[in-house]
Amino acid sequence: MTQDPTSAPETPTVERLKAFGYTPALAQALSGLPEAQPDWQAARIVRVERNQYLLETASGPREGVWPAGRRHKLLDVPVIGDWVACSGAADTPDEPLRIEAVLDRQNTFIRSVLKGRRTQPQVLAANVDTVLIVTSPLDWDLERLERYVQAVQLSQAQPVILLNKTDEVRSSLERWTDAGLDAPVLPISAAAGQGLDALAEWLAPGRTAALIGSSGVGKSTLTNALLGQELSRAGDVSDLTGEGRHTTTWRTLYPLPLDGPGRGALLIDNPGLRDIAVWDEEGAAFWAIEELAADCRYSRCTHGREPGCAVQAAVARGELDAALVDLYREQQAVQEAPRRNPRDKRRR
């Protein structure tokens, strides 16, 4: 049986994980995995670059791998901020740890992306308490910021808008700070170190904040200011736009110093986003139907009366609402119609 870390005496290694947000609930989740093995350990994903992972473990950073060919649902793939169960020898630090399972998430920050003719979810980060939406006077777009705020609220995290580069503005800031957004708007200058103390309400030891926003608004500069050193490289300022060139190409989670404005919090720096499409409840429900559809007997199942339909089987078990499935089928019929009409005309 796997030892429950909550019953073990406090050790420096446990304290290391606590600094990254490890809690007794996560320890119980690890020990409660039905397939857990005695050598499995908890780790947090602190960097994701394509299919490569860097994990923070009780004994320090280790590379991690998500085994290729593993059958999984798209939303179950490990992402930045996830707590995972890993296996691997502690005495061979040069060998990557194998990610065995993703522990239950506190929340997920998801956006909608278009793949072909369909939308699907993309998890940007997991287990996030606050999302810092970085913008600037030149980048300000009220409708886009409203979409950012809505997406953050749907993830059950707290949105906070950081109006960066305000030291370059000579006029009043009221047009931005009083814009009526459903989130606080904090004027800051990351380059000058101004206004960062106002973040204290949302940054605390063990709490996780994520940075999002367009390329060039100063996210890397803000990360460096909160870290107290230059770890995230900031780009040069464009002569045409006055904005910094985007430099972050991977997602990284940084522990912030206790004696700085970050107050020991954890900060996720994301690549720049031109915009964000909200992944709403209807989209989530439709995506659940599509994932079930992968198990249907026929590849072009319409989820009506075909034998072996996994979607209708879920309806029969009470796991899906029949009316929702009917709405999904109607939308699929509408999407398929433009592709069928030309053929119908040729046949006439």
Side-chain angles (χ1 to χ4, degrees), residues 108-347:
T108 51
F109 179 37
I110 303 176
R111 69 168 174 168
S112 177
V113 294
L114 185 64
K115 294 290 185 180
R117 295 173 60 88
R118 298 186 179 183
T119 58
Q120 68 180 48
Q122 180 189 26
V123 182
L124 298 177
N127 304 312
V128 175
D129 299 293
T130 303
V131 176
L132 305 175
I133 305 165
V134 186
T135 186
S136 71
L138 288 177
D139 178 70
W140 186 269
D141 184 320
L142 188 59
E143 291 185 358
R144 184 180 67 212
L145 290 171
E146 288 174 340
R147 290 192 292 272
Y148 275 123
V149 169
Q150 184 182 3
V152 174
Q153 291 174 333
L154 286 172
S155 76
Q156 300 181 346
Q158 168 65 50
V160 177
I161 298 171
L162 302 184
L163 181 65
N164 193 24
K165 305 185 180 183
T166 53
D167 57 325
E168 302 174 6
V169 177
R170 296 179 181 178
S171 59
S172 171
L173 299 177
E174 289 184 359
R175 57 167 293 198
W176 297 292
T177 56
D178 297 338
L181 289 161
D182 192 16
V185 179
L186 306 182
I188 67 167
S189 170
Q194 298 173 359
L196 302 186
D197 290 340
L199 294 175
E201 182 178 347
W202 296 280
L203 300 178
R207 292 180 62 82
T208 302
L211 288 179
I212 62 169
S214 306
S215 297
V217 294
K219 296 190 306 297
S220 294
T221 302
L222 177 59
T223 299
N224 292 333
L226 293 173
L227 284 167
Q229 55 183 312
E230 187 170 344
L231 292 182
S232 181
R233 186 168 57 87
D236 296 331
V237 174
S238 167
D239 292 334
L240 295 176
T241 66
E243 298 291 320
R245 296 188 178 94
H246 170 58
T247 55
T248 301
T249 57
W250 54 76
R251 293 179 171 86
T252 305
L253 183 151
Y254 298 104
L256 301 178
L258 278 168
D259 57 355
R263 302 172 65 238
L266 303 156
L267 184 71
I268 296 175
D269 187 13
N270 283 291
L273 303 175
R274 293 187 184 93
D275 204 341
I276 192 165
V278 177
W279 181 248
D280 57 16
E281 293 182 2
E282 182 180 274
F286 283 4
W287 182 252
I289 293 173
E290 294 193 352
E291 290 211 312
L292 280 170
D295 294 327
C296 290
R297 181 182 300 176
Y298 301 108
S299 60
R300 295 188 65 82
C301 182
T302 65
H303 317 307
R305 297 183 178 180
E306 295 94 333
C309 174
V311 173
Q312 289 299 335
V315 172
R317 294 193 300 268
E319 297 173 1
L320 271 180
D321 181 63
L324 183 66
V325 174
D326 289 341
L327 180 61
Y328 172 79
R329 295 179 63 210
E330 289 175 9
Q331 286 205 6
Q332 292 303 105
V334 170
Q335 290 180 2
E336 290 292 331
R339 287 185 285 185
R340 287 198 299 264
N341 286 344
R343 294 182 182 178
D344 293 342
K345 291 178 181 179
R346 286 195 297 269
R347 289 174 181 170

